[in-house]
Amino acid sequence: MARMMKVAIVDDEEDMRQSVSQWLALSGFDTETYASAEEALKVIGTDWPGVVISDIRMPGMDGMAFLKRLMGLDSGLPVIMITGHGDVPMAVEAMRLGAMDFMEKPFNPDRMTELAKRATQARRMTLDNRALRRDLAEGAQVMGKLIGTSAAMERLREDILDLSQADGHVLIDGETGTGKSLVALALHATGPRAGKKFVVVSCAAYAEEALSAKLFGPVEEGGSLPLVEEARGGTLVLEDVEALSQSLQARLLTFINEQGTPAETRILAVCNAHGEGRTLEDALRPDLYFRLAAHKITLPPLRARGEDILTIFTRMAEQFAEEYGCDAPEVSAQEAAQLLQAPWPGNVRQLINVAERAVLQARRGSGSIASLLMADNEEAGPAMTTEGKPLKEYVENFEKMLIDNTMRRHKGAISAVMDELCLPRRTLNEKMAKYGLTRQDYI
């Protein structure tokens, strides 16, 4: 639904303000009147949802000074100037400064209506385009947090981009720490609901009665809306959906059925039932499960993502090193192999924690990555995965990480990288091509 544009009428003469306001109101515009530019500037700012009609000659801040202030706040704001007899040269100067158009007193009502119509249409398009750019930027930013080039991550990103355009609800499944909440945000931020409400609730964080009131109401006087109302038209994320009681599952199913198809509010159900000896199908009534699982995304465990382990560790270690004001720890070939072989029961979340602790250890000049892995996995036995990998894969993963790290440190300076790695240019070029690394990514 198109947003309603306002028309701000700024004139020190009350009769003129009221005359313009009444005519435009009769023509279907939402008008606001201000007796001075100073008064109007208290309300009008960047991305203000409307247009401005202002007299040129006013006491205090005149129309020209007012126009300059408005253009400084938002150069895309349409401003129509009202001029008196003999003020046409001033009006032409106003258009040079950014005014959309001008009209002379006594004004022609039909021309004023037409100008207001064109101005509001232009303003709506400007604001919609800005919102779209912001949404696209947010979507790209969120997708950029899904680090990794493994086949599993490439498929995950493709699934997100495909399902973000769909209307059906989505079930997001995967082991703890794999990034399910981030995927939910990515589905919202890259789809047509980006910019609309994104509401998240953990179904395991509340007792049944409190969760029922939070989701469906009633709310206490002066309280916020129930979440199903707050999220209307946008996305509602139900984390720990398996924790819903049978009665709340019934209410949720009723809400979903009442929405019809396509659903006004999209539900993203995040499942954290792994390791509890049951599946989501066991926890939810079948009719609700199949409504929520219209589409399904299962996140891959970190141990199945190969070289992504080294990529994420390196990226996070660099970020933590910058945060703590020290150098990132250098990873030896043996440590790289240990990172690749670790079982990672806590997945990406655990890896990030290990990267932070490795930076803190390096800052103190003690400890090793191996000791961190042993401490994290001592109950899981030796730090080895059940999926054996050939030595060649470990070597290649480490080699790619080493070149990537060195290129980042030297910001793409090939000569410096060649010197540090003792590689001739041709060999470095061949290895970069082999691993899909390009100099432009580091400049």
Side-chain angles (χ1 to χ4, degrees):
M1 187 171 132
R3 70 178 86 194
M4 185 69 172
M5 292 288 109
K6 300 176 182 178
V7 180
I9 301 154
V10 186
D11 199 308
D12 62 304
E13 297 181 16
E14 184 176 359
D15 289 346
M16 178 60 73
R17 290 197 307 272
Q18 296 305 321
S19 176
V20 173
S21 177
Q22 287 172 9
W23 178 261
L24 290 178
L26 289 172
S27 301
F29 292 93
D30 181 12
T31 62
E32 298 178 354
T33 60
Y34 302 94
S36 68
E38 292 87 349
E39 186 182 334
L41 284 170
K42 294 177 181 178
V43 177
I44 301 170
T46 304
D47 288 340
W48 187 72
V51 303
V52 177
I53 297 177
S54 174
D55 194 6
I56 281 188
R57 295 191 181 275
M58 295 185 292
M61 183 185 294
D62 66 10
M64 297 297 282
F66 181 40
L67 174 64
K68 291 177 183 177
R69 286 285 299 276
L70 291 175
M71 291 300 98
L73 288 169
D74 189 337
S75 61
L77 177 65
V79 180
I80 300 166
M81 308 302 294
I82 300 175
T83 69
H85 182 68
D87 287 339
V88 172
M90 193 182 297
V92 173
E93 174 65 11
M95 292 183 68
R96 189 186 70 79
L97 293 173
M100 177 181 170
D101 213 324
F102 68 94
M103 55 187 181
E104 293 182 79
K105 298 176 184 177
F107 59 83
N108 180 318
D110 292 332
R111 171 170 163 73
M112 182 177 62
T113 301
E114 180 59 29
L115 284 177
K117 181 179 179 181
R118 285 199 288 116
T120 54
Q121 288 175 341
R123 184 59 169 167
R124 181 177 292 111
M125 183 175 294
T126 295
L127 295 181
D128 286 349
N129 286 340
R130 285 180 185 174
L132 178 60
R133 285 196 296 272
R134 281 194 294 266
D135 293 342
L136 290 173
E138 181 187 358
Q141 184 179 19
V142 174
M143 290 294 282
K145 293 180 180 179
L146 295 167
I147 302 169
T149 58
S150 64
M153 285 305 291
E154 294 291 356
R155 283 195 302 272
L156 176 62
R157 281 190 285 267
E158 289 173 3
D159 287 344
I160 290 171
L161 293 176
D162 287 343
L163 294 184
S164 67
Q165 305 303 313
D167 289 317
H169 308 302
V170 183
L171 173 62
I172 304 171
D173 195 14
E175 294 180 11
T176 183
T178 49
K180 296 186 289 294
S181 296
L182 181 60
V183 167
L185 179 57
L187 283 168
H188 174 81
T190 56
R193 286 180 169 82
K196 297 181 180 179
K197 286 285 189 176
F198 180 75
V199 178
V200 182
V201 61
S202 170
C203 301
Y206 302 90
E208 180 178 358
E209 187 175 340
L211 181 59
S212 177
K214 193 170 185 65
L215 279 172
F216 303 105
V219 296
E220 296 179 3
E221 186 176 350
S224 56
L225 289 171
L227 294 186
V228 293
E229 291 299 326
E230 185 182 340
R232 190 172 293 277
T235 302
L236 175 62
V237 180
L238 299 176
E239 294 191 336
D240 308 298
V241 67
E242 69 279 359
L244 286 174
S245 67
Q246 289 296 314
S247 62
L248 285 181
Q249 289 184 37
R251 292 195 68 178
L252 180 61
L253 182 62
T254 299
F255 169 73
I256 291 173
N257 290 335
E258 287 175 348
Q259 284 199 99
T261 305
E264 182 180 9
T265 303
R266 191 180 204 188
I267 296 175
L268 306 181
V270 178
C271 172
N272 287 300
H274 285 270
E276 298 177 3
R278 61 173 185 167
T279 64
L280 188 59
E281 292 95 320
D282 299 325
L284 297 183
R285 49 189 289 170
D287 45 3
L288 177 61
Y289 172 80
F290 288 111
R291 295 303 298 270
L292 293 177
H295 304 289
K296 187 174 181 180
I297 290 181
T298 299
L299 275 68
L302 183 60
R303 60 184 174 275
R305 292 175 51 185
E307 67 190 51
D308 289 351
I309 296 170
L310 297 180
T311 302
I312 297 170
F313 179 87
T314 302
R315 188 82 55 86
M316 298 312 302
E318 288 175 350
Q319 289 184 18
F320 285 123
E322 184 176 350
E323 181 180 334
Y324 291 116
C326 61
D327 292 331
E330 292 191 6
V331 180
S332 68
Q334 181 180 2
E335 288 173 327
Q338 290 166 338
L339 287 168
L340 288 166
Q341 294 172 9
W344 299 114
N347 291 290
V348 177
R349 190 178 302 140
Q350 180 190 3
L351 178 58
I352 292 172
N353 292 339
V354 169
E356 182 176 16
R357 299 206 305 273
V359 169
L360 292 173
Q361 281 189 163
R363 189 173 65 166
R364 294 194 305 269
S366 63
S368 66
I369 292 173
S371 65
L372 293 175
L373 293 174
M374 287 178 65
D376 264 14
N377 299 298
E378 58 184 2
E379 291 186 2
M384 294 289 291
T385 64
T386 56
E387 303 94 350
K389 295 186 180 73
L391 176 62
K392 182 173 181 289
E393 184 176 336
Y394 291 124
V395 172
E396 289 179 346
N397 287 336
F398 176 69
E399 191 173 62
K400 178 182 177 181
M401 181 197 70
L402 193 61
I403 296 172
D404 179 58
N405 287 350
T406 311
M407 289 290 289
R408 286 182 188 281
R409 275 202 314 278
H410 294 295
K411 296 181 170 59
I414 295 294
S415 297
V417 175
M418 290 164 51
D419 290 342
E420 181 172 332
L421 299 180
C422 300
L423 288 175
R425 177 180 288 273
R426 180 177 176 180
T427 303
L428 178 59
N429 289 342
E430 288 174 349
K431 290 185 179 297
M432 289 181 66
K434 175 181 178 181
Y435 300 127
L437 305 175
T438 58
R439 180 172 176 267
Q440 294 301 317
D441 295 334
Y442 304 96
I443 297 176

